[in-house]
């Protein structure tokens, strides 16, 4: 089809970690095959598009960050759309389809997309295609792939309907009827544990993909159970629908630069970055605890870094040097690790809008790029597997990679790749004849993201210092051998802490006189987990495990304020804390008890999930159990005293259970039905009186 006759649509994305951008780029790449032209922009590029005057259909891909917020790149557009002076018909001319990305382990599933979706409708815009909600908890591709497949038919119907109506009227295009495959679900501010939306109207066939017959490559040997490297019937005998081969677009040149010393400063696109020494390291748990929790203190006295209680910050971390070296060896590039990388976009690439990756700086060594810039442990997307298959010599290995990226192999992909925490190095070890070029890795590996941590101190109590707490993440990776691994950032930090000989008795001991290791930190651009400006407001804090960290900072801050204003009016402070064992992982035990004794903390409720306390069979095991025991006081503070509630910690179980408990408490104490209780809790969130800082 002639490019001049391509039917244009506006394609906007808002991303926090790159997934929404990658999906939008995939939509853009497929568009031409279906006779469309995608005008692709990040939402933050407000000078490149104007929804008020847009006449083409709009397609939106947006992720969710924090506890239900749109990504930072969407904030300017969201702020513009939320202008309350805009009339209800401001976007009545606009027709759109939206794909939201989220994680159902978090309470506000896909809320970034839902916020934009709801506001577009409030301003008069109408769907031409059903909204999709993709769940990273079970695999984004389960919704993303059929949603994209169905998009082309919806766009075709939209343009056909618009053309027919224009021909009939001879005037401006009338609004087409909204394409829906089921009853419209209202998007409101109620807190609901939303589950994966299915799109029944999407065509399951991939018209731009390829078809692979097992007879073309030969089935894998089926003498054992299915695994990462082998399948079984019916998949091993199936005709496969695989994604279209992604267009390669990077030309990579490695040059030796004699005489140039490699900088030891981390390479990152985060700004600003502060290099600060670790002045103290403390092990907060005993050696026999299930998880090891560490406290690190940073010396920020020589920087202009500042923070408030409740704030979080980013730690810029590297990949494991052992894994980087293994990857270099596997790629047969170990002798070029100190060569400098120069990138160009291939002149003959078929990739539309191809651009150099911003997170890969020019003239850095290969070792630096693999260490600081690329998430080499990231779970490979199906498009990456499809590309790797092309660089695999053995037919059986190539067939297996094609299976893992096919529609028919979706279950195997989830089981053996995503759920098994398989990374690029694992794949290359499992498929020894796969030998991809360096450019392919740079095209598909995402940016190595800095890791966020909560501040666990107050600048009033510890001027010039910043403390934070973390548990060392440990997990098994089945690749196919079982490998014990530590988190990229927490494993690195734990190694740095050992050089300071941390005190294991729970008191912050100086790390000795050795040269302190340095790390790079940066402030988070937005921090909403702030405590009330009015100290008389009662506060409820829920923070089991390392989730107690920001509350330690708050209580330290409150302690200093009470010392400075002895006659001041200070509201009640409740802390619901939980851990496994009283004698192994009761973090900040002495400090919390001192806060209680001094009246800084008015109520401390602690639960132990693994201890069997004699004579206390009914003792609460989890923080939500403690909350139920004090339901009347919790309801009194939230519903009658204008108090605030803060939750910090695990999103997968704790945060959901706490939210469910709050709904039950509000329902019982206020004598409301469940729906009204949900609305009440949603209102508390809108008023910034119910705030969460949670992670999975």
């Amino acid at each position: 089809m002639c490019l001049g006759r391509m039917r244009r649509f506006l394609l906007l994305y808002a991303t926090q970690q790159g997934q929404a951008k990658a999906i939008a780029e995939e939509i853009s790449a497929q568009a031409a095959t279906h006779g469309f032209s995608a005008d692709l922009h990040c939402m933050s590029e407000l000078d490149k598009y104007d929804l008020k005057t847009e006449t083409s259909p709009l397609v939106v891909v947006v992720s969710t960050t924090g506890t239900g917020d749109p990504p930072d790149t969407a904030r300017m557009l969201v702020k513009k759309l939320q202008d309350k002076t805009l009339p209800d018909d401001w976007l009545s001319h606009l027709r759109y389809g939206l794909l939201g990305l989220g994680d159902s382990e978090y309470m506000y599933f896909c809320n970034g997309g839902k916020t934009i979706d709801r506001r577009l409708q409030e301003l008069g815009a109408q769907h031409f295609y059903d909204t999709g909600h993709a769940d990273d908890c079970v695999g984004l591709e389960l919704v993303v792939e059929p949603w994209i497949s169905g998009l082309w038919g919806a766009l075709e119907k939209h343009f056909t309907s618009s053309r027919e109506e224009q021909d009939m009227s001879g005037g401006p295009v009338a609004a087409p009827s909204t394409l829906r495959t089921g009853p419209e679900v209202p998007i409101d501010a109620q807190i609901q544990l939303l589950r994966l939306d299915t799109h029944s109207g999407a065509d399951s066939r991939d018209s731009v993909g390829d078809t692979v017959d097992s007879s073309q490559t030969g089935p894998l040997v089926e003498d054992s159970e299915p695994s990462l490297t082998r399948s079984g019937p019916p998949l091993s005998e199936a005709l496969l629908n695989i994604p279209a081969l992604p267009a390669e677009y990077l030309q990579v040149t490695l040059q030796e630069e004699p005489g140039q010393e490699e900088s030891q400063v981390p390479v990152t696109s985060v700004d600003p970055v502060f290099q600060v020494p670790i002045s103290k390291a403390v092990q907060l748990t005993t050696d026999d605890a299930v998880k090891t929790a560490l406290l690190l203190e940073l010396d920020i006295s020589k920087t202009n870094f500042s923070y408030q209680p409740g704030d979080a910050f980013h730690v810029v971390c590297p990949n494991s040097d052992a894994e980087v070296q293994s990857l270099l060896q596997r790629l047969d590039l170990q002798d070029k690790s100190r060569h400098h990388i120069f990138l160009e976009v291939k002149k003959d690439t078929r990739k539309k809008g191809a651009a150099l990756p911003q997170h890969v700086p020019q003239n850095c060594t290969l070792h630096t790029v693999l260490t600081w810039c690329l998430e080499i442990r990231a779970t490979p997307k199906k498009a990456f597997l499809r590309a790797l298959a092309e660089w695999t010599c053995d037919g059986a290995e190539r067939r297996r990679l094609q299976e893992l990226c096919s529609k028919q192999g979706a279950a195997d992909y989830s089981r053996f790749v995503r759920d098994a925490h398989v990374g690029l190095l694992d794949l290359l070890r499992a498929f020894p004849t796969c030998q991809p070029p360096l450019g392919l890795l740079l095209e598909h590996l995402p940016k190595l993201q800095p890791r966020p941590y909560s501040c666990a101190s107050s600048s009033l109590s510890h001027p010039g210092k910043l403390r934070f707490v973390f548990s060392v993440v440990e997990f098994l990776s089945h690749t196919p051998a079982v490998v014990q691994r530590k988190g990229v950032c927490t494993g690195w930090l734990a190694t740095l802490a050992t050089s300071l000989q941390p005190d294991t008795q729970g008191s912050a001991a100086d790390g000795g006189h050795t040269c302190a290791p340095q790390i790079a930190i940066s402030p988070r651009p937005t921090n909403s987990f702030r405590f009330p400006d009015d100290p008389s407001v009662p506060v409820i804090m829920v923070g089991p495990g390392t989730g107690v960290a920001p509350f330690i900072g708050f209580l330290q801050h409150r302690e200093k304020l009470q010392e400075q204003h002895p006659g001041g009016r200070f509201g009640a402070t409740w802390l619901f804390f939980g851990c496994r064992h009283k004698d192994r992982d009761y973090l900040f035990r002495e400090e919390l008890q001192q806060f209680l004794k001094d009246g800084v903390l008015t109520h401390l409720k602690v639960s132990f999930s693994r201890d069997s306390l004699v004579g206390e069979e009914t003792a609460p095991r989890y923080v939500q159990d403690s909350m139920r025991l004090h339901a009347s006081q919790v309801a009194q503070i939230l519903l009658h005293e204008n108090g605030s509630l803060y939750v910090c910690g695990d999103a997968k179980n704790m945060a959901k259970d706490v939210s469910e408990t709050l709904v039950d408490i509000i329902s019982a104490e206020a004598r409301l039905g469940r729906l009204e209780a949900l609305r009440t809790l949603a209102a508390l969130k809108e008023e910034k009186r119910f705030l969460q800082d949670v992670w999975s």
Side-chain angles (χ1 to χ4, degrees):
M1 179 176 291
C2 176
L3 288 177
R5 300 180 60 189
M6 289 285 191
R7 292 160 294 179
R8 173 189 175 275
F9 65 93
L10 177 62
L11 177 55
L12 299 180
Y13 68 87
T15 189
Q16 196 71 23
Q17 297 187 350
Q19 293 191 114
K21 180 182 179 182
I23 293 169
E25 289 177 340
E26 175 63 22
I27 293 173
S28 178
Q30 292 188 25
T33 307
H34 296 276
F36 301 104
S37 174
D39 188 7
L40 176 64
H41 299 289
C42 177
M43 277 190 193
S44 61
E45 300 175 310
L46 293 177
D47 59 325
K48 302 289 183 62
Y49 65 92
D50 186 357
L51 297 186
K52 174 58 180 172
T53 60
E54 183 60 58
T55 58
S56 298
L58 167 68
V59 176
V60 178
V61 184
V62 58
S63 61
T64 297
T65 186
T67 54
D69 301 317
D72 295 337
T73 52
R75 293 185 184 277
M76 289 187 292
L77 176 61
V78 171
K79 182 178 180 180
K80 181 178 180 180
L81 294 177
Q82 289 179 338
D83 183 350
K84 296 187 182 299
T85 65
L86 296 177
D88 293 344
D89 61 351
W90 194 67
L91 295 177
S92 60
H93 61 285
L94 190 65
R95 302 295 175 262
Y96 75 99
L98 185 144
L99 175 62
L101 312 182
D103 188 330
S104 60
E105 289 187 350
Y106 290 79
M107 188 167 189
Y108 298 96
F109 171 60
C110 280
N111 200 58
K114 292 173 185 176
T115 297
I116 295 173
D117 198 2
R118 179 175 66 248
R119 188 54 181 156
L120 289 176
Q121 292 182 66
E122 290 172 352
L123 293 174
Q126 296 182 37
H127 291 102
F128 76 86
Y129 184 44
D130 272 347
T131 294
H133 295 142
D135 186 358
D136 201 27
C137 181
V138 298
L140 293 174
E141 69 279 354
L142 295 181
V143 166
V144 170
E145 291 177 2
W147 194 89
I148 294 177
S149 295
L151 173 64
W152 313 119
L155 281 169
E156 187 71 43
K157 183 174 182 179
H158 167 81
F159 280 106
T160 300
S161 175
S162 299
R163 185 170 58 251
E164 290 175 350
E165 291 175 1
Q166 188 174 22
D167 291 343
M168 291 175 62
S169 64
V173 178
S177 59
T178 302
L179 175 65
R180 305 294 296 179
T181 60
E184 183 173 348
V185 180
I187 307 296
D188 55 26
Q190 298 174 19
I191 299 176
Q192 299 190 40
L193 305 179
L194 298 174
R195 295 294 178 255
L196 180 69
D197 290 6
T198 58
H199 181 67
S200 59
D203 187 351
S204 62
R205 296 169 297 173
D206 188 350
S207 58
V208 299
D210 299 322
T211 301
V212 176
D213 190 338
S214 62
S215 62
Q216 296 174 319
T217 59
L220 291 172
V221 179
E222 299 161 15
D223 57 355
S224 63
E225 289 293 315
S227 67
L228 174 64
T229 57
R230 63 167 58 87
S231 63
L235 180 59
S236 60
E237 302 168 351
L239 183 68
L240 302 177
N241 293 98
I242 62 175
L245 181 64
E248 296 182 11
Y249 64 94
L250 286 181
Q251 182 69 46
V252 182
T253 304
L254 292 175
Q255 292 184 2
E256 191 173 6
E257 300 286 339
Q260 286 195 23
E261 292 189 9
E262 186 171 14
S263 172
Q264 298 303 310
V265 178
V267 176
T268 175
S269 57
V270 176
D271 187 62
V273 173
F274 301 94
Q275 289 287 330
V276 294
I278 302 175
S279 55
K280 197 170 292 185
V282 184
Q283 183 172 322
L284 300 176
T285 52
T286 59
D287 290 339
D288 58 348
V290 175
K291 292 184 177 181
T292 299
L294 297 173
L295 176 148
L296 296 187
E297 180 183 84
L298 308 178
D299 185 350
I300 59 172
S301 60
K302 297 180 180 180
T303 73
N304 61 356
F305 186 96
S306 62
Y307 66 97
Q308 298 181 35
D311 280 356
F313 65 99
H314 283 128
V315 172
V316 180
C317 61
N319 289 306
S320 159
D321 189 61
E323 293 179 26
V324 170
Q325 295 297 341
S326 295
L327 184 57
L328 286 167
Q329 184 176 7
R330 175 62 180 79
L331 296 171
D332 198 23
L333 290 171
Q334 63 269 36
D335 59 335
K336 297 182 179 179
S337 66
R338 304 301 171 181
H339 285 40
H340 289 243
I341 290 183
F342 295 89
L343 300 180
E344 293 180 287
V345 174
K346 290 184 175 181
K347 295 180 180 179
D348 59 348
T349 182
R350 294 181 292 104
K351 181 177 175 64
K352 183 180 178 182
L356 298 179
Q358 295 182 356
H359 58 279
V360 180
Q362 293 277 31
N363 200 24
C364 272
T365 67
L366 174 58
H367 183 271
T368 296
V369 168
L370 293 180
T371 300
W372 292 102
C373 303
L374 302 176
E375 192 90 56
I376 63 175
R377 270 206 203 163
T379 300
K381 304 297 183 186
K382 289 187 176 182
F384 196 6
L385 298 181
R386 175 69 179 89
L388 290 173
E390 293 300 300
W391 294 92
T392 303
C393 298
D394 182 80
E397 290 181 14
R398 184 168 59 252
R399 162 74 188 192
R400 183 54 175 156
L401 287 170
Q402 291 170 341
E403 289 174 350
L404 291 171
C405 70
S406 69
K407 284 182 168 56
Q408 292 78 6
D412 274 24
Y413 175 83
S414 296
R415 178 182 176 187
F416 299 118
V417 180
R418 187 173 60 83
D419 296 345
H421 307 289
V422 165
L424 172 63
L425 185 57
D426 302 318
L427 279 177
L428 294 180
R429 286 170 171 166
F431 299 93
T433 69
C434 180
Q435 198 69 29
L438 178 60
L440 197 70
L441 275 59
L442 300 179
E443 291 170 359
H444 288 274
L445 286 175
K447 171 186 174 183
L448 179 58
Q449 297 287 342
R451 271 47 172 180
Y453 291 95
S454 299
C455 301
S457 56
S458 165
S459 57
L460 296 181
S461 293
H462 302 281
K465 305 294 184 182
L466 168 62
R467 292 180 172 185
F468 67 104
V469 179
F470 61 92
S471 290
V472 181
V473 175
E474 296 182 306
F475 61 95
L476 295 178
S477 180
H478 303 268
T479 58
V482 178
V483 179
Q484 178 74 31
R485 285 189 174 144
K486 292 184 178 180
V488 172
C489 190
T490 61
W492 172 64
L493 291 173
T495 300
L496 295 179
T498 58
S499 66
L500 295 176
Q501 298 178 340
D503 179 3
T504 60
Q505 302 304 313
S507 60
D510 286 331
H513 300 287
T514 59
C515 182
Q518 291 197 344
I519 66 173
I521 63 172
S522 65
R524 292 185 73 177
T526 56
N527 283 307
S528 59
F529 199 71
R530 292 281 175 83
F531 292 90
D533 293 330
D534 182 357
S536 67
V537 173
V539 171
I540 299 172
M541 299 167 283
V542 183
T546 56
V548 74
F551 306 133
I552 295 297
F554 168 71
L555 292 170
Q556 289 178 358
H557 198 79
R558 174 62 65 91
E559 180 181 42
K560 289 299 181 182
L561 290 180
Q562 291 185 191
E563 290 176 1
Q564 295 170 3
H565 306 281
R569 183 165 170 254
F570 295 91
T573 51
W574 288 68
L575 174 61
F576 291 94
F577 174 73
C579 59
R580 292 178 177 84
H581 301 283
K582 182 177 181 179
D583 297 326
R584 300 182 193 177
D585 53 4
Y586 188 163
L587 308 185
F588 300 102
R589 179 176 179 176
E590 294 179 2
E591 194 166 357
L592 289 174
Q593 291 175 345
Q594 190 63 46
F595 285 142
L596 188 64
K597 180 180 178 181
D598 295 341
V600 176
L601 182 61
T602 55
H603 299 84
L604 174 61
K605 306 301 175 184
V606 185
S607 54
F608 307 102
S609 62
R610 305 287 176 86
D611 283 343
S612 298
L613 302 179
V614 179
E616 297 186 31
E617 290 80 4
T618 60
R621 295 183 60 196
Y622 302 104
V623 288
Q624 59 267 27
D625 299 330
S626 293
M627 293 173 65
R628 291 183 189 278
L629 291 178
H630 302 278
S632 60
Q633 295 98 319
V634 170
Q636 176 69 23
I637 290 173
L638 294 179
L639 303 181
H640 304 293
E641 298 179 10
N642 202 40
S644 298
L645 188 143
Y646 299 83
V647 180
C648 183
D650 167 53
K652 185 174 182 179
N653 297 309
M654 183 277 298
K656 283 186 176 181
D657 291 340
V658 167
S659 296
E660 285 293 314
T661 299
L662 286 171
V663 171
D664 293 342
I665 288 174
I666 293 172
S667 178
E669 297 296 324
R671 298 183 180 180
L672 299 174
R674 179 171 178 80
L675 183 57
E676 285 302 313
L678 283 166
R679 287 174 174 159
T680 300
L681 193 57
L684 291 175
K685 182 179 185 293
E686 292 294 319
E687 297 168 12
K688 306 296 183 184
R689 293 202 292 124
F690 172 46
L691 292 171
Q692 294 178 299
D693 183 6
V694 296
W695 58 84
S696 58

